[in-house]
Amino acid sequence: KLCWSFHHILLDGWCLGLIFREVVTAYEAIRQGLQPQAPPVRAYRDYIAWLGKQDVESGRRYWQEILDGFSSPTALGVDHHREGEPQPEEQHLELSEATDAALRKLAREHRLTLNTLVQGAWALILARYSGTDDVVFGATVSGRPAELPGVDSMVGLFINTLPVRVCTSSDETLLTWLHRLQDNQAVQREFEHTPLVQIQRWCGFDPGVPLFESIFVFENYPVDNAVPVEQCSFAVSDTRFLERTNYPLVLVVVPTGGLAIRASYDSRRFD
């Protein structure tokens, strides 16, 4: 058995495949009496340099406009507050093949991403249970800028969790509403490197008050092809991940195979 532990201050999920592939390649080289050859990759400092060149002022204007009039985190509606230490729990659900196929067909036919469909569903659920048609939740993004060559192979922390504000009281059709949600996601990409703490400060939130209490993660980073099976002298099976955050409710959607959903929650707040 191999147990691998790390903190997000060093790595993000995207890096798992990169590092594991390098470890496997080195292991097989040593096993054959060869000198391991690490692939050439760009250093994380190049990303830091890229960050330093971004227009902070335009980011400030964007986030202040997005969160204008928002003053408190969206109430989750079904939670309670018990005393004691955090008690993390998980619930798992995998959609049926028919439902999964129908969602993918809908996305294809209307040029939507699965991420948009499921994120839209989450916004509607929050609106229903919070009793408000203007909801804000967090969404985790890869944070790897396409304009930085070689960023896909860089090891370090790139992910960011950002506020997503969605109004559900529109007279638009569902498909028009979903397209608008997707367009907003595309615009946000230009500012997804902005630190959450900075957004909170710009919008006048007290440091002790969160912008949101639930986060949505569409986990589609490239892990499946991490192990070069054709080169391996061993097999990898029964892989399990255990991840903890400081948010009371985290919804993780994994589109590999059937659409799998994992809800991680603090049982002091939720049954």
Side-chain angles (χ1 to χ4, degrees), residues 61-122:
R61 290 195 301 268
Y62 171 80
W63 288 111
Q64 285 182 335
E65 180 180 345
I66 289 294
L67 296 172
D68 182 42
F70 174 68
S71 58
S72 61
T74 299
L76 299 177
V78 292
D79 57 331
H80 43 65
H81 294 267
R82 298 190 182 103
E83 297 298 326
E85 294 297 314
Q87 299 293 326
E89 298 284 351
E90 286 189 352
Q91 293 286 339
H92 296 258
L93 169 69
E94 186 160 346
L95 299 187
S96 69
E97 290 184 6
T99 301
D100 179 62
L103 282 173
R104 294 175 188 272
K105 182 173 182 289
L106 177 68
R108 260 193 328 271
E109 289 180 349
H110 298 282
R111 297 186 178 182
L112 293 163
T113 65
L114 271 177
N115 178 41
T116 298
L117 289 180
V118 187
Q119 198 175 102
W122 183 239

Side-chain angles (χ1 to χ4, degrees), residues 67 70-73 196-212:
L67 296 172
F70 174 68
S71 58
S72 61
L196 180 60
V197 66
Q198 185 67 66
I199 297 172
Q200 185 152 328
R201 189 179 301 120
W202 285 336
C203 297
F205 263 61
D206 187 290
V209 178
L211 280 169
F212 41 80

Side-chain angles (χ1 to χ4, degrees), residues 17-28:
L18 301 175
I19 293 175
F20 197 60
R21 173 178 282 273
E22 190 170 334
V23 168
V24 168
T25 303
Y27 173 84
E28 294 298 336

Side-chain angles (χ1 to χ4, degrees), residues 5 25 27 32 42 47-48 59 65 84 91 107 112 131 214 248-249:
S5 177
T25 303
Y27 173 84
Q32 298 171 32
R42 293 191 70 168
Y47 171 65
I48 300 300
E65 180 180 345
Q91 293 286 339
L112 293 163
S214 68
L249 183 59

